[in-house]
């Protein structure tokens, strides 16, 4: 069982993935240390499924805890 938590990230670059990602939208990143070691993030995208995307397309969304919790409840 993993101790890592879901993270919120903001998509900065959706080029090549326009149907799957929206630029400047917040996404949930699932813990996946194997993917991260290869420069990828496991993102729940617009399809509602999780797929791997290059890490450099996202930044961590540093939100207040209450906001983070609210976003994760809606995700």
């Amino acid at each position: 069982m993993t101790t890592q938590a879901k993270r919120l990230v903001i998509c900065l670059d959706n080029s090549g993935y326009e149907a799957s990602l929206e630029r400047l939208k917040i996404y949930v990143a699932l813990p996946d240390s194997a993917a991260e070691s290869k420069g990828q993030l496991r993102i729940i995208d617009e399809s509602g499924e999780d797929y791997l995307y290059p890490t450099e397309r996202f930044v961590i969304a540093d939100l207040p805890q209450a906001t983070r919790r609210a976003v994760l409840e809606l995700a």
Side-chain angles (χ1 to χ4, degrees):
M1 184 174 189
T2 182
T3 58
Q4 294 178 317
K6 293 178 182 174
R7 292 175 291 166
L8 298 176
V9 296
I10 301 170
C11 177
L12 298 179
D13 178 10
N14 69 342
S15 57
Y17 302 100
E18 291 84 358
S20 303
L21 299 170
E22 292 183 31
R23 193 169 168 269
L24 303 180
K25 184 174 179 178
I26 295 175
Y27 289 95
V28 174
L30 301 177
D32 186 334
S33 57
E36 291 181 28
S37 71
K38 296 175 183 170
Q40 306 258 308
L41 285 177
R42 183 167 298 281
I43 301 293
I44 299 176
D45 68 12
E46 296 300 317
S47 72
E49 300 292 327
D50 60 286
Y51 292 96
L52 297 176
Y53 293 97
T55 301
E56 65 268 12
R57 293 175 182 268
F58 302 91
V59 295
I60 299 295
D62 188 19
L63 303 173
Q65 187 64 23
T67 304
R68 181 183 181 285
R69 191 175 17 247
V71 171
L72 285 171
E73 286 176 10
L74 295 174

